[in-house]
Amino acid sequence: MADHSAEHSTNSTSASSAKGTTRSGGARRLKKAEGEKSWVKPTIWGTLAAVIAAPLVAFMVAYIVVDVPRPGELVSKQVSQIFASDGTTELARVVPAEGNRVEVPLETVPEVTRNAVLAAEDREFYENNGFSFTGFARAAIGQITGNTSAGGGSTITQQYVKNMLVGNDYSYIRKAKELVYSVKMANEWDKDTVLESYLNTIYFGRNAYGIDAAARAYFGIGASELNAAQSAVLAASIQRPSQLDPWTNRAEAEDRWNYVLDGMVSIGALTEEERAAQVYPEVQDPALYSAYTEATGPNGLIKNQVIAELGTLGITEEDLQTLGLRITTTIDTKVQNATVDAVDAQMPQQQENVRVAAVTVDPNTGAVRGYYGGADAAGYDYANAGIPTGSTFKIFAVAAALQQGIPTSAYYSSEPFQLSNGEYVESVNGASCGTCSMKEALMKSYNPTFLRVQEDLENGTQDTADMAHALGIARSIPGEAQTLTEGGAQPYEGIVLGQYNSRPIDMAHAVATLANDGVWHETYFVERVQTASGETLYEHQPSEGERRVSVNVAANTIDAMMPIAAWSGGNTLAGGRVSASKTGTVQLGDTGMNRDAWMVGATPQLATAVWAGTSDNTALLNSWGGSMYGAGLPATLWKSILDASLEGQEFQTFTPAEPLGYESSNYQYTPSWSPWSGSGRGNSWGTSGNTATEQNAPAEVVPEVPAAPAVEVPVVPAAPEPEYIEILPGVTVPIG
């Protein structure tokens, strides 16, 4: 044994010596080796310290550098709502992509709902500093054990930061940013602000963002109405929204629901007895809730008008998508329902291609109270379309004549009128009164009479156009940069017969101005705009309007229109309510058929214009296949709308028409005249200026109109149909 030990010792010494020899001296090397050990140990600890300290230093630097937005600076897309004038009836919504969200204040969310979300996602929310070690550990254990109900390791603050600030990509850098922002946000924001922001932004499935949208998507109620069981269903869905919808995955959804309820007990939000009493609630079929259905039926066209008007008010598309706007419109639910009900009652009996539009305006304010442009929410808006107006346009020639001192009692011939191109125009079926007053001619809609009235205006057709514009006919409409003109030049003679395009909304507007004693108000749809937080961005300010014609010009025009409802098919309003109206019909080329039919008119409270036409510009036929006229479907709808809209309201009257007064020095009487002369009037009236006199002017003295001298009536050239004729090549004559 000793020999072996000595041998081992000798060998070891020899090896050591040999090794030391090659390394330039064993003793020296050994000392150096001892020296190496003395500094290697501190280096390892230093490295470990550096490894630990570096992230901390980086975190501290990032914490100092990072600027967490203040509450309210982080905006998310959300639903804007459009309401009727009552502020509660929703007409439409504007839902941006990933924005089916209606933000609600935290105080309107039931406490049991808040606690359900905390139990599901962050039970230590009010204690942690934006990051939870226990939550992280619980999630890690859940991953190891396969317990998916254990949840993730992110706090509510982290989830909110991820959704709103740093994104959802999988990387250490993103996670580090999330941690920094979360800790700093937890220190700078109060907890209720974080929770409110989270509840209004988190995704719950079914295209629902935020607790209020989720409550409506799953249960058809607002967030404020949620109970404990319903709250637990919504809280349970946050973990995996697409997979935990009870409608498609009841078993897993209910497991997670139980986990949430148990958590509510553990945090003291429910007692054991309350927990035991919970029953899994039924959710609504997802097919019954469409998050992105913005409007239905005619409300879709109202929505388009509202959005267009918001742009003119300086409210941008970004505002519309991010501020959760509550837009209160002028639409009166009674008037709108009356309009839709009238259309729904009449349209089933009509030809398949018949389309209608109806607009009702408040004469006293310009507010649009009812609007129907079609039944398709995304379809063509006939109420905003340029359409020939037929004989309804004669009222503007009447107003222009009154403006220039020609009374509605002035007599005119209704015999065929020769146009500047040599053609003759007559009334429907050659109807004529011989010679009669302008007022009677308006009621019976004699075309030649109003061509003669227009010819007597100082500027002819231009005066008809100018009066129409003054009363409310738009100067430009979609597709037409200039209306009532020939490329900026004076319009053709057919303007008085409704040759040019105008919109139903403009016809209602113009009649409203007349009904309001000649005071014009701009039409509008938007009454008030508020943000989700209650800030008022816009509120319509009532105005006195603008006087466009004198009281007596308006009153005399209205007076001439008052007999027409009764004359046109017995369309007197219910109870004999006073109204003023005019029908109109437009011919379809030289077919002898009609293409457009109108009824426009007003009471002192409301002005309504109704149009009927076809979707394919073919013949407009009534329910039994005959030609439709303004006294048909349009007049029926007009009466139904106003009767239902005004039911229960007082019977008001228009301002009485007073005779036009003239200064004696300007009064002239010219007995010689002819229905074929350049001046169509039976009398020549000298007036003091271009405007009608005030109401209190002396009573008009109307001389006896002498019998017309016998004249030989020229032969009217043959036409394809005796009741129709073309004004100019390619320009058809409106009738009716």
Side-chain angles (χ1 to χ4, degrees), residues 285 338 401 454 462 535 541:
D285 184 347
Q454 180 173 255
Q462 191 60 55
E535 178 188 359
Q541 298 301 316

Side-chain angles (χ1 to χ4, degrees), residues 158 161-169 174 177-178 181:
Q158 285 177 276
V161 165
K162 178 178 67 176
N163 290 334
M164 299 299 294
L165 288 172
V166 301
N168 199 29
D169 63 300
R174 193 275 300 167
K177 289 181 179 178
E178 177 188 302
Y181 273 110

